[in-house]
Each structure stands twice: as C-alpha cells, then as structure tokens.
Amino acid sequence: MSAVGVIPIRRRYWQCRCGGGGSYAVDAVLGIEGRFSKTVQKHCCHLGSDFGFAATIEHLREMLGVSVSAETARTMVEGHGRAMASFQPKDVETGKAFAEAAGAVEFAVDAGKVNTREEGWKDLKIAVISKREAGEPTALAKWDKQRLPTATLVIAFAMIATAKTFRRSWRKRLRGLGVTCMAGVQALGDGAGWIWQSVERALTGCTQTLDFYHACEHLSHCAEGIFGEGTTEMRTAFEHGRGLLLLQGWDGVCQWVGELLTVEAQSEQERRRRIRQP
C-alpha cells in the first residue's frame, strides 16, 4: 500500500541455504516496510496523533485515496510509538546535534487530555526542548510584529503520567543532550501551578518565564474586574499595563497594580453608597 494506492510488486525472496532468515532484498531500496510504504506510515502517524483512528482512516481515504481499517491504523501508530520509546533512550546522535546547535536552551511544558482505552480520559504531559538564538529588541509599538528566530533544533517528548512522575524524566533528558547546568535553561510555561512547581523542583536554578499572551490574559481579567468588561477605561488600563509589562517585566506589573489600587471599582463604590444611606 502506497500513498497513491495499492501497487502490486513482484520481487525475489532471498534466503541462505544454511537455514537463516531471508528477506526481499529490494524492499530496502524501495523503502518498503511490511505492507505499507513509509509515506503511508508517516501520514498515518501524523493523523493518528491529532485524531482518533476512525477519523484517521477517513482523512487517509479523502486525501490520498488509501483505504485501511481503524485497527490497522491503530496497530501501525502504536507500533511506531513503541519503537520510538525504545529508540530515544539509546539515541546519541541527537545529543551531539543538540550540543552543536546554536542558541540558548529553552524548555517548554504543557498538558492536554487523551482518551485512553484502559482508563478513559487522562492527562498527557508534553515537553519541548529546543535551542534558539536571541532575537532583536523591538519597539513598544511593534511588539506584535516581532517574530522570534526559528529554533535551530527541537526535541519533543510526552508521557501519560502525573506531574511528579513526568518531571523526574526532565533532568535525564537534558543530560542526554549535554545540558548539565540548569542556570542556562529558559523554562517557559502558561502559568499553570503544576508547571512552576515541577520546574522549581526538577530544574532548580533555571530562568522561569511566563509567556506573554497568558500574562496579558491575567492583566485583562484584572482590568475587567475594576472597570467592567468592554469599557473604554478597561481597554485603556489594559494597554497601559501591557506596555509596562513589555518595558519593565515584573516590576512594570507591580507598578501597574499599585496604580490600580488607587482606583475604586464601581461595585465597591455602590456598596459603600448603600452603607452610607440611612
């Protein structure tokens, strides 16, 4: 089975007279592994990682005209998953490439939900280790136009496990890539408590950075709580806080909060007005 449909192939099977195992020698040249070409397997794995296996076979049929069963797709994807899990601990070439790649080390963590066959919905923890060179500074008015340089090398791994179990694998992964000093690691997260607690324990000494968009989300909620959702005052306060965040980081946020403490929310004013009435 290939990416353009079923292709019948006749080739010679070779086997030693000594009784050893044989093979179709031309398969390696043609890139054939079993009944499916490498391209079909690649598409199946990509789709299977994003959709259920029933949806995967629908997409394969619509995009490539390839028909396989959901069970075949599952067997193929899970087989590659087991092979990757066995390969990664033994892989040394990736560590060499990572050491030679330019840029600072970034460690990003997140989580999602997956529906397991054995126990239903469970947390899938995901980590991405990458190297990236620093970008050029940008003006405040152009903050949303800047794009970071493309990462020079990216490695991802995941685990269906608790945060405690997942974080125990981080240092081993980093050591395998030649990273032994946590002070040189930039840890990125979305503000979830389990991420920062795990980073603090597993990557002690690293630089912890909340991503800008989630930080702005907190600023927006704070401004809404004081001035009301969608008001001009709320938008003005939010944009001012965002500017201070960009220019001064955490110190800017502290300054912004200090300014907001002098503003009484409309609900608080109304509460006090009712108390003062006879």
Side-chain angles (χ1 to χ4, degrees):
M1 177 73 73
S2 74
V4 294
V6 177
I7 301 178
I9 299 176
R10 294 184 64 184
R11 70 263 201 225
R12 190 180 298 276
Y13 185 82
W14 298 89
Q15 185 175 18
C16 179
R17 290 182 178 179
C18 66
S23 66
Y24 295 102
V26 74
D27 284 6
V29 178
L30 297 177
I32 300 174
E33 295 180 4
R35 295 186 297 127
F36 301 94
S37 69
K38 290 182 179 179
T39 302
V40 170
Q41 295 181 56
K42 179 183 70 174
H43 285 307
C44 194
C45 288
H46 284 172
L47 292 169
S49 64
D50 290 332
F51 307 99
F53 296 123
T56 293
I57 63 173
E58 291 292 333
H59 289 308
L60 282 175
R61 182 166 55 248
E62 292 296 328
M63 293 188 301
L64 303 176
V66 173
S67 296
V68 299
S69 69
E71 181 62 18
T72 297
R74 182 193 67 79
T75 302
M76 190 185 307
V77 172
E78 291 184 355
H80 279 285
R82 288 190 295 269
M84 180 58 71
S86 176
F87 163 78
Q88 283 187 329
K90 307 171 186 176
D91 178 30
V92 295
E93 295 302 320
T94 300
K96 294 178 182 178
F98 192 87
E100 296 172 358
V105 179
E106 295 180 355
F107 190 94
V109 190
D110 207 341
K113 290 287 186 180
V114 292
N115 193 3
T116 64
R117 289 184 298 164
E118 298 83 4
E119 301 179 34
W121 290 97
K122 301 191 72 174
D123 279 343
L124 172 69
K125 305 294 193 302
I126 307 165
V128 177
I129 307 173
S130 56
K131 268 194 171 181
R132 191 192 312 272
E133 294 186 295
E136 295 295 327
T138 185
L140 178 59
K142 298 181 179 179
W143 71 268
D144 57 343
K145 308 298 182 186
Q146 184 195 33
R147 292 294 179 268
L148 289 173
T150 302
T152 53
L153 197 147
V154 179
I155 299 164
F157 60 98
M159 185 182 298
I160 299 177
T162 64
K164 184 176 182 180
T165 300
F166 186 51
R167 74 177 184 231
R168 288 173 176 169
S169 67
W170 296 356
R171 277 187 174 268
K172 183 178 180 180
R173 295 274 186 176
L174 288 167
R175 284 197 299 268
L177 299 174
V179 181
T180 56
C181 179
M182 297 302 109
V185 175
Q186 299 281 338
L188 311 175
D190 63 5
W194 74 268
I195 292 179
W196 303 123
Q197 293 171 11
S198 299
V199 165
E200 190 66 34
R201 288 178 175 272
L203 308 179
T204 306
C206 70
T207 300
Q208 301 177 22
T209 303
L210 172 66
D211 77 84
F212 182 70
Y213 289 95
H214 280 87
C216 286
E217 184 178 20
H218 289 289
L219 297 183
S220 177
H221 289 164
C222 182
E224 286 179 0
I226 295 177
F227 299 104
E229 183 178 356
T231 63
T232 301
E233 293 83 358
M234 172 266 166
R235 186 65 189 174
T236 300
F238 167 68
E239 291 179 353
H240 177 54
R242 183 178 64 189
L244 289 173
L245 171 63
L246 283 166
L247 290 174
Q248 304 177 37
W250 175 245
D251 291 339
V253 173
C254 291
Q255 176 184 330
W256 183 68
V257 171
E259 295 172 0
L260 291 179
L261 288 175
T262 64
V263 179
E264 286 189 354
Q266 185 65 35
S267 59
E268 178 65 13
Q269 293 178 357
E270 180 65 21
R271 186 184 69 83
R272 293 183 180 181
R273 185 185 64 80
R274 289 196 301 268
I275 293 176
R276 287 194 297 266
Q277 288 179 345

